Amino acid sequence: MNSTSAEPLESSSPRRNSKRPKYSRFTQQELPACKPILTPRWVISAFMLVTIVFVPIGVVSLYASRDVVEIVNRYDDSCAPSGSRSDKVRFIQSPADKTCNRTLSVPKYMKQPIYVYYQLDNFYQNHRRYVKSRSDKQLRNRNDEDDTSTCKPEDTTENGTAIVPCGLVAWSMFNDTYSFSMNNNVQLPLTKRGISWKSDRDRKFGKDVFPKNFQNGKLIGGAHLNESIPLSEQEDLIVWMRTAALPTFRKLYGKIEVDLQKGDTINVVIQNYYNTYSFNGKKKLVLSTASWLGGKNNFIGIAYLAVGGLCFVLAMTFTIIYLVKPRRLGDPTYLSWNRSPGGH
């Protein structure tokens, strides 16, 4: 009778639930792992390794940048007539002749291809409203011609017809033109094929999409487009539509596929149409060769040399401290991961 009465008492008593998780070497982070001890020798060796790797890369990068020949010519001020320099905005908006002649001298031998860029300063293509004022669907697909909801204020004409390509980005396309000749009046051929990214031509601009109602309004923003050529073949537009991240940028205009010798004189005829005067912008014409690292850019080489030099200074500093005033290291056997976990 006592045994039968004890069974209900045991079943009715509450169980003590423990919140302690089941022991596991994985959950307790006790699996074998690489836990190096940063001794002075290891630290000095690491800094010296970075120095040995970074300094040669910096030197090679600077030499590659030095071999790039670059001609930069600012022409926005010079191409404004002397009588109109007090009111350049009025001049650029007038129907006056905007032909401008510039003379460039080749400082060093320039091997083809020679890349021709236009550079704009103080032009914020990264402004949020400007970047969003475009329709990528419309650029890709002819059936999305009326997809202009994101293109305001350059979305439709006064009668409601869609503008192709729509938006402020396309509307403000650069429209200065350049033609080049040598000192003996021999024309330098300028190639415009292949100046844009192939991925942009194949994927972002449709082969069956043609310009329509473009720059037909009262206010003209920039270049006109040939309505008989599809957008995928209008490479000046494709280059312009890849917006820049900084207010000073260069965009590829064309390529000169002729070698230029030191001392050659290049005559440039510029049609100065693009209005940068209203926002205090600058326009520059750039002729440049390229190396295996790209265009002229000393920053990469200087950055590698700076980091390598800093690591060398730190390595030498730690070496002197280690030799002059060494510090005895503790016994690594007392580290927690070198001891077996207590109670397991």
Side-chain angles (χ1 to χ4, degrees):
M1 185 170 180
N2 292 335
S3 60
T4 56
S5 61
E7 290 179 359
L9 292 175
E10 291 178 359
S11 61
S12 61
S13 61
R15 291 186 178 181
R16 298 180 61 185
N17 295 325
S18 175
K19 294 183 179 181
R20 181 178 180 179
K22 184 179 179 181
Y23 171 76
S24 168
R25 296 188 67 188
F26 176 77
T27 58
Q28 298 301 319
Q29 300 183 14
E30 294 174 0
L31 293 175
C34 179
K35 300 175 181 178
I37 302 173
L38 297 179
T39 62
R41 291 183 180 180
W42 272 105
V43 173
I44 294 171
S45 300
F47 279 126
M48 288 302 299
L49 178 63
V50 174
T51 301
I52 293 172
V53 173
F54 274 48
V55 170
I57 294 176
V59 173
V60 172
S61 300
L62 282 179
Y63 269 99
S65 179
R66 190 191 65 173
D67 291 339
V68 174
V69 184
E70 190 175 85
I71 303 173
V72 181
N73 184 267
R74 179 183 174 184
Y75 64 88
D76 54 289
D77 281 339
S78 303
C79 286
S82 56
S84 303
R85 290 182 182 175
S86 59
D87 193 355
K88 298 174 185 176
V89 177
R90 184 176 181 181
F91 159 73
I92 202 70
Q93 293 176 346
S94 69
D97 182 27
K98 298 178 179 63
T99 303
C100 177
N101 296 294
R102 304 289 292 168
T103 301
L104 307 177
S105 179
V106 180
K108 294 172 62 177
Y109 169 71
M110 300 181 72
K111 185 178 179 181
Q112 63 167 316
I114 300 167
Y115 298 94
V116 180
Y117 300 90
Y118 56 88
Q119 177 176 320
L120 297 179
D121 294 2
N122 202 36
F123 191 112
Y124 288 83
Q125 270 198 320
N126 59 352
H127 192 282
R128 179 174 175 271
R129 290 189 63 188
Y130 181 88
V131 172
K132 291 184 64 177
S133 184
R134 60 186 292 167
S135 174
D136 290 324
K137 288 185 178 180
Q138 186 198 64
L139 297 173
R140 283 194 304 264
N141 194 345
R142 185 177 181 179
N143 296 328
D144 292 322
E145 179 180 295
D146 294 327
D147 184 28
T148 61
S149 59
T150 59
C151 292
K152 292 180 180 180
E154 292 296 320
D155 52 349
T156 59
T157 60
E158 293 181 352
N159 59 8
T161 308
I163 298 173
V164 182
C166 66
L168 287 174
V169 181
W171 175 81
S172 61
M173 178 180 165
F174 187 80
N175 63 338
D176 283 5
T177 61
Y178 313 115
S179 60
F180 302 88
S181 62
M182 297 293 290
N183 42 11
N184 52 3
N185 292 326
V186 176
Q187 290 292 321
L188 285 175
L190 187 70
T191 303
K192 282 184 166 289
R193 300 289 294 182
I195 63 174
S196 61
W197 290 21
K198 187 177 184 300
S199 59
D200 288 353
R201 296 194 300 269
D202 295 343
R203 301 176 184 177
K204 294 186 177 182
F205 294 83
K207 297 180 180 180
D208 59 347
V209 181
F210 293 83
K212 182 179 177 181
N213 301 318
F214 188 69
Q215 302 287 19
N216 287 347
K218 296 179 180 178
L219 187 61
I220 306 300
H224 290 77
L225 298 176
N226 191 332
E227 296 189 355
S228 63
I229 300 177
L231 297 185
S232 61
E233 297 180 11
Q234 307 221 26
E235 298 202 42
D236 284 327
L237 172 69
I238 298 174
V239 170
W240 179 259
M241 294 292 285
R242 180 168 281 276
T243 53
L246 300 175
T248 297
F249 58 86
R250 294 178 181 179
K251 291 185 181 289
L252 188 58
Y253 182 83
K255 293 181 288 186
I256 298 175
E257 297 183 339
V258 176
D259 292 346
L260 298 178
Q261 304 298 325
K262 179 180 179 180
D264 283 347
T265 301
I266 305 174
N267 300 314
V268 188
V269 179
I270 302 174
Q271 298 297 330
N272 182 31
Y273 294 133
Y274 201 68
N275 181 13
T276 57
Y277 306 113
S278 59
F279 55 88
N280 296 321
K282 300 175 184 177
K283 291 188 289 187
K284 297 177 183 177
L285 172 63
V286 181
L287 274 66
S288 176
T289 59
S291 68
W292 60 271
L293 197 60
K296 194 174 189 66
N297 185 1
N298 293 330
F299 175 78
I300 296 177
I302 293 174
Y304 271 101
L305 286 177
V307 174
L310 178 61
C311 289
F312 179 77
V313 171
L314 292 174
M316 291 297 100
T317 303
F318 289 156
T319 301
I320 294 172
I321 295 174
Y322 179 63
L323 294 177
V324 173
K325 195 176 180 180
R327 181 181 177 184
R328 183 181 177 184
L329 297 178
D331 188 353
T333 59
Y334 288 99
L335 293 173
S336 60
W337 54 82
N338 289 330
R339 302 196 310 266
S340 59
H344 301 290

